Amino acid sequence: MFEKFTSWKKDKVPNVPKENESMSIPHHVAIIMDGNGRWAKQKGLPRVAGHREGMKVVNKIVKKANDIGVKVLTLYAFSTENWKRPKPEVEFLMKLPELYLDKELPKLVEQNVKVQLMGRRENLPEHTLRAVDTAIEQTKQNTGLILNFALNYGSRAEIIDAVQSIAKDVEAGVISHESIDESVIASYLMTKELPDPDLLIRTSGEMRLSNFMLWQLAYSEFCFTDVLWPDFSEKHFMEAIHMYQQRARRYGGV
């Protein structure tokens, strides 16, 4: 389940499965886009330069995921813990959705990509929400890849919100406490309309979840790479897909 990959020795992207092998493509891929700051530091640049470069990588991975038939791509863009970072960096990160979507929204519409947001809307600046909401509205009829941005998202916060909502509904008689099971809890999460991730990719060499989709990742396959996010390419993405295809998913069975 836990595996770290490096670049393929041969400068060749693994073959994309043929149409009759489409079941081997993960329906939902989640990515922790890590390493922007370290990339910038290695080059003697300010951290925001790494975030700007990382934004360019999003375009490539979204297109590649859409091309090979991934149904949902969830990108961990900003966590509930990221507010602790220096104010100038946070302010720049809050501008990134606007910078990205203002430029790329026409392409997303053309590619039939549907934009969604996962996270607590409170505390997000108006200009950030305006950009995201515009993208959501203009792509709501699209039927291709769902591009799910996890923005001001934390899994523990998500679970707390779900538990509070369940408690209110039990108190109001909407549901009984005896009826609470995994499916009920899942229906109160921010991903209630999405399948759980089949594959999690984390860049930059870190091997932890960092409060990301703790419930949903229970049976996901994990792939870790030392590649920093600004250096992550379509080739690296396909290496992760290829690795996923080699796994035997048993979900606790023999």
Side-chain angles (χ1 to χ4, degrees):
M1 186 176 184
F2 298 90
E3 189 168 348
K4 184 177 287 190
F5 65 86
T6 55
S7 185
W8 286 78
K9 293 181 180 179
K10 295 182 179 179
D11 188 19
K12 182 179 179 182
V13 177
N15 292 328
V16 177
K18 298 177 182 178
E19 185 175 349
N20 62 357
E21 298 175 320
S22 60
M23 288 298 291
S24 61
I25 294 293
H27 282 77
H28 186 173
V29 177
I31 304 180
I32 300 176
M33 306 177 292
D34 196 14
N36 292 340
R38 274 166 282 176
W39 181 90
K41 184 177 180 179
Q42 288 177 4
K43 299 181 179 302
L45 299 172
R47 287 177 61 87
V48 295
H51 296 308
R52 188 182 296 275
E53 194 67 23
M55 183 177 67
K56 299 176 184 178
V57 177
V58 171
N59 296 332
K60 302 175 185 177
I61 302 308
V62 168
K63 186 177 186 306
K64 176 58 69 173
N66 198 22
D67 287 347
I68 67 172
V70 173
K71 303 302 182 185
V72 184
L73 179 66
T74 295
L75 301 179
Y76 203 8
F78 190 89
S79 76
T80 50
E81 290 74 36
N82 286 157
W83 296 107
K84 302 173 186 176
R85 294 186 177 187
K87 185 177 179 181
E89 182 178 358
V90 170
E91 289 177 347
F92 184 81
L93 287 169
M94 287 297 104
K95 291 178 183 177
L96 277 182
E98 188 175 6
L99 292 172
Y100 172 75
L101 291 169
D102 282 355
K103 180 180 179 182
E104 302 301 329
L105 185 55
K107 292 181 184 177
L108 296 176
V109 172
E110 181 182 348
Q111 295 170 13
N112 198 29
V113 172
K114 182 176 183 178
V115 176
Q116 291 188 2
L117 176 67
M118 179 176 75
R120 287 178 168 176
R121 292 175 65 89
E122 56 264 31
N123 298 327
L124 290 175
E126 288 187 12
H127 64 85
T128 304
L129 286 173
R130 190 183 312 117
V132 174
D133 286 343
T134 297
I136 292 173
E137 177 63 26
Q138 292 190 20
T139 63
K140 66 181 181 181
Q141 301 300 328
N142 289 354
T143 58
L145 173 76
I146 294 175
L147 176 55
N148 183 39
F149 286 107
L151 191 61
N152 194 26
Y153 172 83
S155 186
R156 290 183 175 182
E158 175 189 30
I159 293 171
I160 289 170
D161 291 347
V163 171
Q164 290 177 343
S165 295
I166 291 171
K168 288 180 181 178
D169 283 349
V170 169
E171 186 176 4
V174 176
I175 60 174
S176 65
H177 72 272
E178 296 92 347
S179 68
I180 298 173
D181 56 15
E182 288 189 16
S183 63
V184 169
I185 293 174
S187 71
Y188 281 81
L189 298 176
M190 295 175 184
T191 53
K192 59 186 177 183
E193 297 179 354
L194 300 175
D196 289 343
D198 301 291
L199 171 64
L200 169 74
I201 302 170
R202 179 164 188 159
T203 59
S204 88
E206 304 293 349
M207 300 179 70
R208 55 179 176 268
L209 294 181
S210 297
N211 196 20
F212 184 53
M213 301 182 81
L214 302 178
W215 176 279
Q216 297 91 335
L217 291 171
Y219 280 102
S220 303
E221 301 296 328
F222 293 176
C223 289
F224 300 95
T225 176
D226 290 330
V227 177
L228 303 176
W229 178 248
D231 292 326
F232 194 76
S233 66
E234 298 99 322
K235 177 175 177 287
H236 296 122
F237 182 71
M238 289 309 301
E239 288 172 359
I241 298 297
H242 180 78
M243 181 178 293
Y244 168 83
Q245 292 168 343
Q246 310 309 307
R247 307 280 179 85
R249 305 187 72 196
R250 300 184 180 88
Y251 300 96
V254 177

